[in-house]
Amino acid sequence: MIRSEEAVSEETRKEPGQHLPKLRLDELLDELQSRIDAARGTQDRVHSLLEAVLSVGRELGLPQVLRRIVEAAVVLVDAEYGALGVIGDDSKLAQFLTVGIDDEQRARIGDLPSGHGILGELIRHPQPLRLPELSEHPASHGFPADHPPMHSFLGVPIRVRDQVFGNLYLTEKRGAAEFDAEDEAVLSTLAVAAGVAIENARLYEEARLRERWLRASAEVTRALLSGAPGGRVLELIVEQAREIVSADVGMIAEYVVRTEELRPVLAVGADVERRSGLRLSAQDGFVGAALTTSEPVVSADIRHDARTGEDAAQWTGLGPVVAVPLGAGGKARGVLLLGRTAGRTPFSGADTGPLLGFAGQAALALELAERRQDAEQVALLKDRDRIARDLHDLAIQRLFAAGMTLQSTQRFVDHPQAVERLSRTVDDLDDTIKIIRSTIFGLRTHGEGTVEDGGLRARVAETVRASTTSLGFAPALRVEGLVDTDVPADVADHAVAVLSEALSNAARHSGASSVDVHLCCSGGELTLTVADNGSGIPKNAARSGLGNMADRARVLGGEMTFRERPEGGGTCLVWRVPARSATA
């Protein structure tokens, strides 16, 4: 059946009204789906943020925490590149950790940034910074050669206890032209969690560091109390300090007042052979500051430190250096120096804080070593005095008594050869007594004077003064050259013994009215001349004393000569030896 025209027209009029609800429903369904997707994306992002926060907080070591933070940030905001910059004490970047750039590419770029351009902008103004194009910002300085191109940028500060620890830098948003407000909010939330994680890691590291310092101090204390040698204690101190602060070089240098230099007592670590022989001038600003302060003196890079001289040999190869005084400020007896090789991380406050107390133990070790050495020297001198007293009170008296007995026996002997033998025996006893007296003098004077405190000059003067009683007059004394600094102790001992014997011979045999003593140190040679105006050496006199003096010269690689003086008579004895130790 054919429908009527009115029926067709009615159906046509109804069709638009029937399609309108269907179109509106599709739009509503699409909008609902997009909102569901957005909610699901937000939920996924929140879950990712929570996982990142948990992941960051799970680590305890600071280097691992920092690395985990920047890796989580890159994933959360879907960035191509990420970095975390740690701000140092000089308001520049002390550390710079990157994600997205491999080691080979980093090596081609060169030195890591120190905090200029956009990176420095965030340091100067620690607020979130979001840029669609890096190059359009006024602070932008461009990129070095071989640096990957970067356009979009997002940076947020990381605060630890209201102090800015560093900044997170993200570049090159994936799938979009720029980072949005939601990215900024997510990254700012991560930065808050990162601050907490960093603080926890710092506290953990400080606790571990404190525990290590306590263990090291206890070990040093045990070594001191057990009477270990000072050198061993100092080596233990330097090794412990070097290991705890991760230094490449450790050195203890003692201050020498006379030369105003620091003499290396001990050096360990890199290039130790060369550093052990170096002398540090107290006029060096860096070392001088360590001697006069009561706080650690730190240099981030000693090569460019204004307090040191340029091209100073002692700093070759080093970058970060810390020095602490050994003893109280202003009265330090030396310094403890620790250094890291050039390019390494500078020393932090946590590294250097306990060093001052630890260096105090080094000063105590030096003091105890000196006191122990002094005590040993006193014991040695007391033993020498005892031996000298026993020789004088027992041996000499018995020999003297034996000589007197033989002399009194001579008048009862009629045979000429027996008389001659008795006379020679008495002379031998007399010479033996003089040798023992010379030995006693050496025992009592040995160690009283050293090369550094003018011992030889004083001992010679005292020997000449002591001979005044036996001679009946004061001999003339003339000293030339650096006898107090250039003559070793063993050579000085022989010279004093020879002088004592020569003056004793002049008093006993020459009948002189004047004696001239001349001591000269020149050209690496020590010469002792003793001249008198007496009758000379008798032909039948025993020569054992002269033989002993000649033997002393030969032991030292020298010689002794004596002759009669043509002008006015008398004898001139010349004793000449090298001015160096026989054991050198």
Side-chain angles (χ1 to χ4, degrees):
M1 183 178 64
I2 300 175
R3 290 180 296 176
S4 65
E5 185 177 346
E6 290 81 5
V8 173
S9 298
E10 183 66 23
E11 184 177 351
T12 304
R13 284 194 300 269
K14 289 180 180 180
E15 284 180 356
Q18 291 174 346
H19 288 286
L20 182 60
K22 183 178 180 181
L23 291 175
R24 188 171 297 170
L25 181 59
D26 290 340
E27 292 175 1
L28 291 174
L29 289 175
D30 290 342
E31 183 179 353
L32 179 60
Q33 184 62 45
S34 63
R35 291 189 179 185
I36 291 173
D37 293 340
R40 185 174 298 156
T42 302
Q43 185 180 19
D44 292 342
R45 201 162 199 182
V46 169
H47 286 162
S48 299
L49 178 59
L50 290 175
E51 289 177 2
V53 170
L54 291 174
S55 174
V56 167
R58 197 176 293 124
E59 299 289 346
L60 285 176
L62 186 57
Q64 292 81 7
V65 168
L66 299 181
R67 171 61 59 182
R68 188 62 63 88
I69 289 170
V70 66
E71 289 174 348
V74 168
V75 173
L76 280 176
V77 298
D78 199 19
E80 183 75 22
Y81 305 104
L84 191 155
V86 179
I87 302 174
D89 296 333
D90 55 356
S91 297
K92 293 183 179 179
L93 293 178
Q95 289 179 260
F96 197 74
L97 290 78
T98 61
V99 170
I101 299 178
D102 57 32
D103 294 338
E104 182 180 348
Q105 191 174 19
R106 187 183 298 111
R108 290 199 305 269
I109 294 173
D111 294 337
L112 296 175
S114 58
H116 300 289
I118 294 294
L119 304 185
E121 179 71 16
L122 212 58
I123 295 174
R124 293 184 294 270
H125 304 97
Q127 299 293 333
L129 179 63
R130 186 157 43 93
L131 301 172
E133 178 56 53
L134 269 170
S135 60
E136 294 178 357
H137 193 278
S140 177
H141 291 171
F143 296 105
D146 297 315
H147 195 285
M150 295 181 180
H151 301 282
S152 56
F153 174 84
L154 175 60
V156 296
I158 299 175
R159 286 182 169 83
V160 177
R161 289 189 179 181
D162 297 329
Q163 296 291 327
V164 178
F165 172 83
N167 296 300
L168 275 172
Y169 308 104
L170 286 305
T171 61
E172 293 299 283
K173 171 74 173 179
R174 289 192 180 103
E178 61 180 295
F179 297 98
D180 56 23
E182 188 175 345
D183 293 327
E184 181 180 324
V186 169
L187 198 60
S188 297
T189 303
L190 179 65
V192 173
V196 175
I198 290 170
E199 177 65 8
N200 289 338
R202 274 182 165 180
L203 293 174
Y204 176 72
E205 286 202 349
E206 288 177 7
R208 290 186 60 192
L209 191 61
R210 192 179 303 111
E211 183 182 354
R212 294 184 68 185
W213 281 117
L214 288 174
R215 284 202 304 266
S217 297
E219 188 172 351
V220 172
T221 301
R222 282 195 300 270
L224 287 171
L225 295 178
S226 66
R232 175 70 189 96
V233 177
L234 291 179
E235 183 178 358
L236 177 63
I237 289 171
V238 176
E239 284 289 4
Q240 292 280 8
R242 190 170 73 94
E243 181 182 351
I244 291 175
V245 302
S246 185
D248 299 297
V249 174
M251 183 169 66
I252 287 181
E254 193 171 13
Y255 180 61
V256 182
V257 178
R258 182 168 56 87
T259 60
E260 293 188 349
E261 288 182 329
L262 287 157
R263 176 179 58 88
V265 177
L266 179 69
V268 296
D271 207 5
V272 63
E273 294 82 6
R274 183 180 62 81
R275 299 186 196 281
S276 298
L278 292 174
R279 296 294 183 100
L280 304 174
S281 172
Q283 305 302 320
D284 184 289
F286 183 78
V287 177
L291 281 172
T292 57
T293 187
S294 58
E295 298 293 336
V297 180
V298 183
S299 175
D301 191 345
I302 198 69
R303 298 170 301 172
H304 305 108
D305 198 307
R307 294 170 292 183
T308 62
E310 294 183 2
D311 300 327
Q314 58 265 30
W315 309 121
T316 302
L318 296 180
V321 174
V322 58
V324 291
L326 301 179
K331 297 181 181 179
R333 59 181 302 154
V335 295
L336 169 61
L337 286 163
L338 297 170
R340 293 171 178 166
T341 53
R344 289 193 58 194
T345 306
F347 291 99
S348 65
D351 292 328
T352 61
L355 268 180
L356 197 62
F358 205 62
Q361 289 188 309
L364 179 61
L366 289 172
E367 186 72 21
L368 286 178
E370 284 187 0
R371 296 292 177 87
R372 190 176 294 121
Q373 184 177 3
D374 291 343
E376 292 173 355
Q377 184 70 16
V378 168
L380 177 62
L381 293 177
K382 285 182 178 180
D383 198 38
R384 288 177 179 273
D385 284 342
R386 180 188 59 78
I387 296 172
R389 184 173 59 252
D390 291 345
L391 285 173
H392 183 273
D393 295 344
L394 301 175
I396 288 182
Q397 298 305 324
R398 292 177 67 88
L399 289 172
F400 185 77
M404 294 294 292
T405 301
L406 290 174
Q407 280 183 329
S408 63
T409 305
Q410 283 180 331
R411 64 176 176 267
F412 299 110
V413 178
D414 296 329
H415 197 285
Q417 291 183 353
V419 172
E420 182 184 356
R421 288 186 178 184
L422 285 174
S423 179
R424 285 203 304 268
T425 303
V426 170
D427 289 339
D428 288 343
L429 287 173
D430 189 41
D431 289 337
T432 302
I433 290 172
K434 288 189 292 185
I435 292 172
I436 294 177
R437 288 185 184 276
S438 176
T439 302
I440 292 172
F441 182 85
L443 286 172
R444 286 178 170 171
T445 57
H446 183 81
E448 294 176 1
T450 63
V451 172
E452 293 184 358
D453 62 11
L456 179 56
R457 185 184 297 268
R459 291 170 64 184
V460 166
E462 176 60 25
T463 303
V464 171
R465 186 194 63 77
S467 69
T468 301
T469 302
S470 58
L471 287 169
F473 58 88
L477 173 63
R478 183 159 54 99
V479 180
E480 294 181 8
L482 303 176
V483 296
D484 294 333
T485 57
D486 291 355
V487 180
D490 58 341
V491 177
D493 290 343
H494 285 290
V496 171
V498 168
L499 176 60
S500 178
E501 180 69 22
L503 291 174
S504 177
N505 285 342
R508 293 175 61 85
H509 303 297
S510 71
S513 60
S514 70
V515 176
D516 293 327
V517 178
H518 181 206
L519 182 68
C520 176
C521 182
S522 177
E525 191 174 68
L526 178 67
T527 304
L528 173 64
T529 305
V530 181
D532 64 66
N533 64 350
S535 60
I537 301 175
K539 293 183 179 180
N540 60 349
R543 300 299 178 95
S544 57
L546 294 173
N548 290 334
M549 291 187 282
D551 288 340
R552 290 179 182 273
R554 282 194 293 272
V555 166
L556 297 174
E559 63 176 2
M560 188 201 75
T561 60
F562 64 93
R563 66 181 186 278
E564 291 187 356
R565 297 170 61 188
E567 66 286 354
T571 304
C572 180
L573 181 147
V574 180
W575 189 80
R576 183 180 291 108
V577 296
R580 66 174 185 273
S581 175
T583 59

